[in-house]
Amino acid sequence: AAPGPGAARPGDRRPGRVAAIRAPLPRMVHVPAGAFQMGVDEDAAEAAVQQCELAYPAQAGAHQITGQRVGFCGVDYADDLARMRPRTVYLDGFAIDRDEVSVDDYRRCVAAGACDLDALVSGDQRYVRDGWPMVNVTWLEAQDFCRWRGGRLPTEAEWERAARGDDPTAVWPWGGAERPRDFNHGQPRAEAMRELERPQLLLVPSQFLGDPDDSDGVALLAPAGAYPWGAGPFGTRDQAGNVAEWTADVFSHDDAARGYDGLPTLGPVREAKPGEVLPTRVVRGGSWRQPPFVARANLRDPFNRLYVQNERFTHVGFRCARPERGR
C-alpha cells in the first residue's frame, strides 16, 4: 500500500519536528519556616504619606456626617505606618497560591455548591471575565472559597513574607527597585473626575480611587499571572498590583492596637474581638486602580479603614494559603 500523506518515506532525511511539552506550574508555592523583617521604616513611611497626599488630596466637600474634609493620608495613615516599624517575625512553613484566584476558579466553587453565586452577579459585571482575578468578592466569600480548597486566607505576615522573602531591603516582590512597567497599577485621580464626584459626599472607596493607567500594558485588569517577570522570591505572581488582596487579619481602629501594636512576633495574626460585628480587614498589594506606591510589599492600603468584610470592591481579590507543618 502507498504511504499516506505526511508519512515518512525511505531515504527521507527531513529533520523531525520536536514538540516541547511543559508541565503546568503547581497551583501553590512553598514558603519555608523561618524569620524575616516585616514592616516599614521611618523614611519609607514618610515617603509613602507624601505620595499618598499627592495622589489622594482631601476632598473639597464635607463628609455628610462629620462635616469634616475627607482625607486618608494624614494623621490616621501616618499613625498606622508609625505602628508598623520593622521587626523580626517568625513563621511556620506554609503554602500560598502562585496566582490570584480567578473568575474561572470561583465558578467551579459555585458549581460545587460551596461558594455563593452573589459574588458573580451582584457586583460590576465589567470585571467578571474568565481568566481575570476574582473581584466583587467579600472577605467572607473569599474565606469560604479557600476553605473549599482546603485552606484559608493568608495572614498579613504570611502575605508579606511571600511577597518580600528574607531580604530586608526588598520592598517589592523582585527586590528594592520600583519597576512600574512590570506590574498592573493605576494612576492618581484626574482633577476633573474629583470635581465630578465631590457632590456625592460619601465614604465609598471607588469614589476615591485613582484612574486606570495603560502604561503597564493593560488599562483595566490583567489575567491572573500575566506579569511573570514581577514574580516574588518564592514564585508568587501579582503580589504587586493587578488586584489588591484580602488577608486574614483584622484592621484595628482601636488606638491601643494600631499597626502591629500588641501582636506577637511568632505567627502574628490579629483576630476579630469576641462579638465584633462586621470587622474591617487588612488589604495588601495595591491594584489596577491605585498608584504604584500602594503596591509596595511592606505597606497597607491607605483606604484600609473602609474595607469592611461584607463589602464588595472592584479592585480587591484574594489568594489562598494553607499551613505546611512538618514538611
Side-chain angles (χ1 to χ4, degrees), residues 67-104:
Q68 298 176 345
R69 289 164 61 91
V70 178
F72 293 91
C73 308
V75 175
D76 282 339
Y77 190 46
D79 190 34
D80 283 339
L81 297 181
R83 311 284 190 95
M84 294 169 59
R85 290 292 180 256
R87 61 190 194 136
T88 301
V89 169
Y90 302 86
L91 296 176
D92 289 331
F94 63 97
I96 189 168
D97 283 345
R98 185 182 302 276
D99 296 320
E100 293 156 336
V101 171
S102 70
V103 172
D104 315 63

Side-chain angles (χ1 to χ4, degrees), residues 108-246:
R108 284 189 281 272
C109 184
V110 172
C115 287
D116 197 326
L117 178 64
D118 285 353
L120 293 170
V121 299
S122 297
D124 193 326
Q125 293 298 297
R126 290 176 297 173
Y127 309 114
V128 182
R129 296 189 187 181
D130 289 345
W132 282 13
M134 184 65 194
V135 294
N136 296 326
V137 59
T138 70
W139 183 92
L140 298 165
E141 291 163 344
Q143 187 78 312
D144 285 343
F145 175 92
C146 291
R147 287 188 181 123
W148 174 68
R149 282 257 315 272
R152 52 169 172 73
L153 288 169
T155 67
E156 183 180 18
E158 288 172 339
W159 192 98
E160 184 167 328
R161 183 165 186 227
R164 299 179 68 185
D166 300 330
D167 180 358
T169 67
V171 294
W172 301 94
W174 51 82
E178 182 173 316
R179 298 183 342 207
R181 293 186 181 275
D182 286 353
F183 65 98
N184 187 13
H185 57 79
Q187 61 185 353
R189 170 125 291 193
E191 185 61 30
M193 293 303 298
R194 291 196 188 108
E195 292 293 338
L196 287 173
E197 293 188 335
R198 277 171 179 164
Q200 296 179 24
L201 305 177
L202 297 174
L203 277 174
V204 179
S206 60
Q207 175 184 343
F208 301 106
L209 292 173
D211 293 322
D213 183 358
D214 62 3
S215 67
D216 47 46
V218 293
L220 302 178
L221 290 167
Y227 292 79
W229 47 87
F234 300 106
T236 55
R237 299 184 291 202
D238 291 331
Q239 282 200 268
N242 212 21
V243 297
E245 299 177 17
W246 291 113

